[in-house]
Amino acid sequence: MIEVIELPKTLEPRYSAFVAQQAEGMIYWTLEFRDFLQRVLCGTPRYFLALDGSTVVGVLPCFESTHVEYGKLINSLPWFGSHGGCLVQSSDQALVRKALLDRYRELVNTPEVSFATLVLSPQENLAANEYAAVLIPDAVDGRIGQVTTLPMNGADIEDRLESTISQKTRNLARKSRKQGFELSIEDCDEAWRFLHETHAENMEGIGGRAKPWAHFVAMREAIPSYWRQLMIARLNGEPIAAMLIFRFNQTVEYITPVIKHEFRSLQPLSFLIWHGMLNAARDGFRLWNWGGTWATQTSLHHFKAGWGTTDQPYSYLIHAKPRALDALRKDRKAVSDAFPFYFTYPFHLIE
């Protein structure tokens, strides 16, 4: 019989060992990522553990945020669409998954909860019908995940990596390696300040939402240094581009790329991506996860696709009480501001 409990402090080491042992385990399920979220969000972690006797067979992480006017909101997980949902390992994965989702459904159905969103991982999206059958979401939204499979380490690895990417992207990567850039992996305050300031400039240029400086500080505090890399491209000693990646288990997460606008034509970001992929493959990583893309973001999708990606769509399974939707229709900014860095509801489905 499968028992689902809320994670106690005493079982945290077993939780962490379980996540690390699963080939599909991503950094988002780790307790280190939980600790990062606690530093940057107003909310409470609600992490569930599935046990078969004394054996851990599955986990499901959530965060809960409460607002005096708008009630409670559940995300699995918050912060720029971080993947959540179940991670299971058992001879009967469907049974374990259902037990975890039943517990999540109980949480979502409490009267105080106004909104809830579960963001599936691309791998778990293969079981999306199982999720929908248990959760019966009020709405479903989607993203296009893009993942590059990295070559195994060994002879001719550079040639084999080049063979996975498109001709145009291959040419740009080759061009970038002829510009005299200096590559470094840094963890000093100066490098992180460059990352944040250039990120803010880049996002302002496209009307996007920049990650606050406090979030980068929290990453350095909560995410182990051997799970993250801040790669810098310099020209004549000056930083002109940077790329922050997370490296956990078998997967590299493409988190924050930045570039000084005036150097874009020299392709310093292609330089960083190429070396990031090559280093990751040499270190035994198998997947490079580019993150989610909206269907309308055709240029971004095309850029990522040039690096040999396969599309792996995934779903947002959403619940919203009628009173919550009424509040959104009345003042969506006020509701969104009440739950910063959480997902409330797809605005394009409100009307």
Side-chain angles (χ1 to χ4, degrees), residues 62-64 72-76 104 107-108 113 115-117 343:
C62 308
F63 259 73
E64 176 183 279
K72 290 186 177 181
L73 179 149
I74 306 294
N75 272 186
S76 179
Y104 173 82
L107 180 64
V108 169
V113 173
F115 299 98
T117 296
F343 186 90

Side-chain angles (χ1 to χ4, degrees), residues 13 15 42 72 75 81 91 96 105 108 146 165 189 232-233 278 312:
Y15 176 105
C42 294
K72 290 186 177 181
N75 272 186
S91 58
V96 177
R105 178 72 177 177
V108 169
Q146 291 176 266
I165 63 182
D189 292 346
I232 307 289
L278 184 60
Q312 296 187 8

